[in-house]
Every structure is written in C-alpha cells, then in structure tokens.
C-alpha cells in the first residue's frame, strides 16, 4: 500500500492486544481505536508505537484516570477522520468534509465506500466474527487524492 503517512486502525480489543497487532501497526504515524478498548493498558501499549485517539464503546467502563469520548475527529496525512463506536451505512451519513469514518462494534472487518468518504471497520484484534476467527487491524493511507485502506489479518 502506497502513501507517505500510514494510520493504524483497530477496534474491539476488549482488553486483549496480541503481539501480532503491535507488529502490524509498527511505523504508523497515528493509531485510531474505535471502541471497546477494555483496559487502559491497551492504550498505553499502543502509545509506545504512535499517538492514540480512542473512543468509548458499549463495553468500556468509565476509567477513573481518563474518560474516552463518544466520538473523535482528527486530521492526519491530509485526511480527515471521524471515529465512532458504531456506524451504519444504511442509517448514518458521514459529516461533510470527512474522508474516513472509523467504526467498530460488529467484530467484522470491512472497507466500504460512502459517498465521498471511506468507512473502515478494522474488525477485532482477538474476537473476530469471521469464519477463521483470526484477529484483524487496518491501515489507512492517502494515495493520490483519495484515502485507501487495507485489512491486515493477524
């Protein structure tokens, strides 16, 4: 996958961060975690690789030392990101100016075009609902004028 800046994307870690996930994210400039983190230690481990932006999911407790927001917006590598717990292409629409919507919740990895945006669901690092049950993460980068994403099977 081309592009100068790589953004790591993961979700539904539920407190488990396999070494393969850390290896897959090596060299990214930013990590976006779309919900159900499970434990603070997951975010601390990810921060050893790159800065992390995470949102709270339906199974995340409100941690005493920090509170995860419901949604996050950021820009990196010339792309604008909207990070949220769950996003339904049937019912939700990306905000104007958003290049990439990052969402999880389903534990099923998917990359979908949404009008002018890209929807990236990285699946789950350890609880995938895919037939082989292998964990997944995603990497997003800008290729030309458009964002592209790739699902990485752990």
């Amino acid at each position: 996958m081309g592009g100068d800046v790589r953004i790591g994307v993961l979700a539904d870690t539920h407190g488990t961060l396999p070494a393969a996930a850390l290896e897959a994210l090596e060299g990214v400039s930013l990590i976006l975690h779309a919900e159900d983190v499970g434990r603070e230690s997951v975010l601390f481990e990810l921060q050893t690789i790159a800065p992390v932006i995470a949102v709270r999911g339906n199974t995340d407790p409100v941690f005493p030392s920090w509170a995860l927001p419901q949604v996050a917006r950021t820009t990196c590598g010339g792309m604008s990101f909207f990070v949220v717990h769950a996003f339904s292409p049937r019912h939700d629409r990306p905000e104007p100016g958003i290049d990439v919507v990052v969402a999880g919740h389903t534990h099923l990895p998917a990359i979908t075009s949404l009008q002018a945006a890209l929807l990236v669901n990285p699946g789950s690092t350890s609880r995938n609902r895919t037939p082989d049950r292998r964990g997944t993460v995603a990497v997003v980068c800008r290729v030309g004028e458009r964002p592209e994403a790739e699902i990485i099977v752990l």
Side-chain angles (χ1 to χ4, degrees), residues 52-97:
V52 177
I53 295 174
V55 298
R56 184 163 42 106
N58 61 302
T59 66
D60 285 322
V62 178
F63 297 108
S65 61
W66 47 268
L68 295 175
Q70 294 286 344
V71 299
R73 293 165 185 82
T74 192
T75 58
C76 187
M79 297 173 284
S80 60
F81 294 87
F82 178 72
V83 187
V84 65
H85 169 67
F87 188 93
S88 169
R90 290 184 184 165
H91 303 101
D92 300 320
R93 296 287 173 256
E95 296 176 359

Side-chain angles (χ1 to χ4, degrees), residues 103-115:
H105 187 60
T106 65
H107 295 222
L108 291 167
I111 300 168
T112 308
S113 291
L114 300 170
Q115 300 163 355

Side-chain angles (χ1 to χ4, degrees), residues 82-148:
F82 178 72
V83 187
V84 65
H85 169 67
F87 188 93
S88 169
R90 290 184 184 165
H91 303 101
D92 300 320
R93 296 287 173 256
E95 296 176 359
I98 296 294
D99 297 310
V100 181
V101 175
V102 174
H105 187 60
T106 65
H107 295 222
L108 291 167
I111 300 168
T112 308
S113 291
L114 300 170
Q115 300 163 355
L118 192 64
L119 171 61
V120 178
N121 183 330
S124 172
T125 58
S126 60
R127 296 182 181 182
N128 257 355
R129 293 181 178 143
T130 57
D132 65 7
R133 309 295 263 179
R134 293 179 65 188
T136 53
V137 298
V139 173
V140 177
C141 66
R142 186 178 192 98
V143 177
E145 294 298 313
R146 300 176 39 145
E148 289 190 9

Side-chain angles (χ1 to χ4, degrees), residues 28-65:
V28 299
S29 301
L30 177 68
I31 297 173
L32 304 175
H33 193 307
E35 56 73 46
D36 290 347
V37 175
R39 288 187 288 180
E40 285 180 289
S41 61
V42 168
L43 298 181
F44 297 144
E45 282 185 80
L46 291 171
Q47 288 172 348
T48 66
I49 296 171
V52 177
I53 295 174
V55 298
R56 184 163 42 106
N58 61 302
T59 66
D60 285 322
V62 178
F63 297 108
S65 61

